[in-house]
Amino acid sequence: MITLSGVTKTFGKNRVLRGVDLTIPSGQSMVIIGGSGTGKSVLLKCILGLVQHDTGTITLDGQDVTTADRDAFLARFGMLFQGGALFDSLRVWENVAFRLMRGPTKRPKAEARDIAIEKLRRVGLKPETADLFPAELSGGMQKRVGLARAIAASPEIIFFDEPTTGLDPIMAGVINDLIREIVTEMGATAMTITHDMSSVRAIADRVAMLHDGLIQWTGPIADLDTTTDPYVQQFIHGRATGPIAAVR
Amino acid sequence: MTALTAPLAAIGRPVLAALAAIGRVALFAASVIGHIFRPPFYPREFFHALMQIGWFSLPVVGLTAVFTGGALALQIYSGGARFNAEAVVPSIVAIGMVRELGPVLGGLMVAARVASSIAAEIGTMKVTEQIDALVTLSTNPIKYLAVPRVLAATLAVPVLVAVGDAIGIAGGWLVGVNRLGFNSTTYLQNTVDFLETWDVVSGIWKGAAFGFIVALMGCYHGMNSGRGAQGVGTATKSAVVGASVLILAANYILTELFFSA
């Protein structure tokens, strides 16, 4: 279980997170929604330690993430980045098998390649894709490779940062379905950041809305449409008028 | 702030900023050096960097050296003629190339080619979140990206300098024999007779220092790149400017250390 309590983060004069309190139960898929620039990605990076939060505590299964053994902590995570973040200089299979070929759980090259091809197949990519470079792939294929890399080492927790941004609706649907299937079959804890409502409905067990650096609302996906919270209602219906300023 | 302290503050701010920048670069350099000796090691990335920095810089360093050697021969011949010292051309070309021009011009050409390329590559990796991805994959970006490049440049540039020295001397010989009427054997004999081992070795040490500076500045500015294309562009420019200025400053300091009476 991941628990955030009173987490704040300021960049210069910009207070991005103003005291975030949030619990992500084990084995559940939590989706964080919110407008652009509301600090969703910063929140995710704070949990991973890519950005150091200023105050508050973040714990994973009761242990403070800032004092945990870094390698052991990160070994529990997989992450799909918004733009894929594939390594240009490595072939697709080497990207997918990156963690498998390094560190304490290092596998022989042939075995790592076999696992990578299996993971590529799991996300709907043919084995021939394995020897291509990321620049030779379409945006949707890059996203799938990123997903294969995120699940390659069978992590307990998977983060998805805007998994469908920049994809056409059909490809976005494919990615959403893949995420849902993989999270369910792996029994992983998932945290997804998105402002794509079709992703929310496809992926989420629970939803939290981040607004103005605070968790404005949180609840099960079934309650999303019936909540009376004006922020959530404005956001999910895409209204220009309401408590959230249209121009930020 | 009073009218009296405002000018002091205006001077102090950039001075403090410059000192902070020097401190950050020094800490980064210490971190890179510390990681060189601690596993894990990345031999594949090291050999890739060795090829990119060493082998592929050979043409530009060679061309720079051959034209510099030729021009140097012409200049020394022309200048030496004022006091009937044309015969010193072979020895001065050789000493000038191996002590100064080989390492400095070689270092500057590598700075232009390699520091920019490293900064642009790592800067792009930063803005496309590839460096964050490395961290989430339990890989230290300094160890994986900076150490192989810095090590490769520190080892490759001295070799480039040595090759550049030889090509530069050959450029001087070509001009000396074909344009200035020197006898080929005498020219080469004079070159060998007046050149001391320390002349060559000092230039190679300079090459190692310049290689370290070039890769360090490329990696530092790349990893601290700002957002977007403009951020990467600025990082690239800063890497080349920083490396070039540091090479010239280091050259003076090393020359003082090696040759001051």
Side-chain angles (χ1 to χ4, degrees), chain B residues 62 64-70 93 97 163-173 187:
Chain B
T64 306
V66 74
F67 289 121
T68 304
V93 166
M97 279 307 301
V163 174
D165 288 348
I167 294 173
I169 290 170
W173 170 80
Y187 189 102

Side-chain angles (χ1 to χ4, degrees), chain A residues 150-163:
Chain A
I151 63 170
S154 304
E156 297 167 46
I157 305 154
I158 314 176
F159 285 179
F160 303 97
D161 187 3
E162 307 273 12

Side-chain angles (χ1 to χ4, degrees), chain B residues 53-71:
Chain B
I53 295 167
W55 182 248
F56 293 120
S57 295
L58 206 49
V60 71
V61 170
L63 283 171
T64 306
V66 74
F67 289 121
T68 304

Side-chain angles (χ1 to χ4, degrees), chain A residues 32-219:
Chain A
I32 314 286
I33 58 173
S36 301
T38 51
K40 302 187 298 295
S41 292
V42 172
L43 181 66
L44 190 147
K45 288 181 178 180
C46 282
I47 297 173
L48 284 169
L50 296 173
V51 171
Q52 298 300 317
H53 56 284
D54 298 331
T55 59
T57 55
I58 303 173
T59 62
L60 173 62
D61 295 337
Q63 188 178 14
D64 193 320
V65 298
T66 55
T67 57
D69 175 69
R70 193 87 183 115
D71 284 344
F73 170 77
L74 287 171
R76 301 177 67 179
F77 284 86
M79 170 134 182
L80 171 61
F81 285 86
Q82 188 173 343
L86 301 177
F87 306 125
D88 305 322
S89 59
L90 301 181
R91 293 181 189 280
V92 163
W93 79 265
E94 291 170 318
N95 267 279
V96 176
F98 193 90
R99 190 194 281 280
L100 302 173
M101 294 199 294
R102 291 162 182 84
T105 56
K106 185 176 176 180
R107 318 277 179 96
K109 190 175 175 181
E111 187 187 338
R113 184 183 158 89
D114 288 345
I115 295 172
I117 288 173
E118 179 51 38
K119 297 296 180 187
L120 287 170
R121 191 176 286 124
R122 179 67 195 84
V123 297
L125 292 172
K126 293 176 182 169
E128 299 88 89
T129 320
D131 289 315
L132 300 176
F133 283 97
E136 298 174 89
L137 305 178
S138 68
M141 289 167 87
Q142 288 187 13
K143 217 68 153 191
R144 291 199 215 191
V145 174
L147 184 54
R149 183 173 70 182
I151 63 170
S154 304
E156 297 167 46
I157 305 154
I158 314 176
F159 285 179
F160 303 97
D161 187 3
E162 307 273 12
T164 56
T165 296
L167 300 180
D168 65 69
I170 295 169
M171 186 53 68
V174 169
I175 295 287
N176 286 336
D177 292 346
L178 273 172
I179 291 173
R180 182 71 255 184
E181 284 169 24
I182 287 167
V183 168
T184 305
E185 80 187 26
M186 289 174 67
T189 304
M191 181 170 158
T192 305
I193 283 168
T194 188
H195 40 60
D196 175 355
M197 289 312 297
S198 63
S199 286
V200 178
R201 295 181 200 287
I203 296 171
D205 292 323
R206 294 183 64 81
V207 181
M209 179 164 181
L210 187 65
H211 176 70
D212 203 21
L214 292 165
I215 296 296
Q216 183 65 37
W217 178 86
T218 184

Side-chain angles (χ1 to χ4, degrees), chain A residues 45 48 50 70-71 74-75 79 81-83 85-90 94 98-99 102 149 161, chain B residues 40 42 44-45 48 121 124-125 128-139 144 149 227:
Chain A
K45 288 181 178 180
L48 284 169
L50 296 173
R70 193 87 183 115
D71 284 344
L74 287 171
M79 170 134 182
F81 285 86
Q82 188 173 343
L86 301 177
F87 306 125
D88 305 322
S89 59
L90 301 181
E94 291 170 318
F98 193 90
R99 190 194 281 280
R102 291 162 182 84
R149 183 173 70 182
D161 187 3
Chain B
Y42 297 104
R44 179 179 152 166
E45 281 66 32
H48 179 73
E121 185 182 0
T124 304
M125 288 184 75
T128 56
E129 296 186 303
Q130 291 179 51
I131 291 182
D132 283 346
L134 276 177
V135 175
T136 64
L137 293 164
S138 305
T139 301
Y144 184 76
R149 286 165 172 80
R227 290 180 178 183

Side-chain angles (χ1 to χ4, degrees), chain B residues 143-168:
Chain B
K143 200 175 267 300
Y144 184 76
L145 296 173
V147 168
R149 286 165 172 80
V150 171
L151 199 57
T154 307
L155 296 175
V157 176
V159 178
L160 284 172
V161 166
V163 174
D165 288 348
I167 294 173

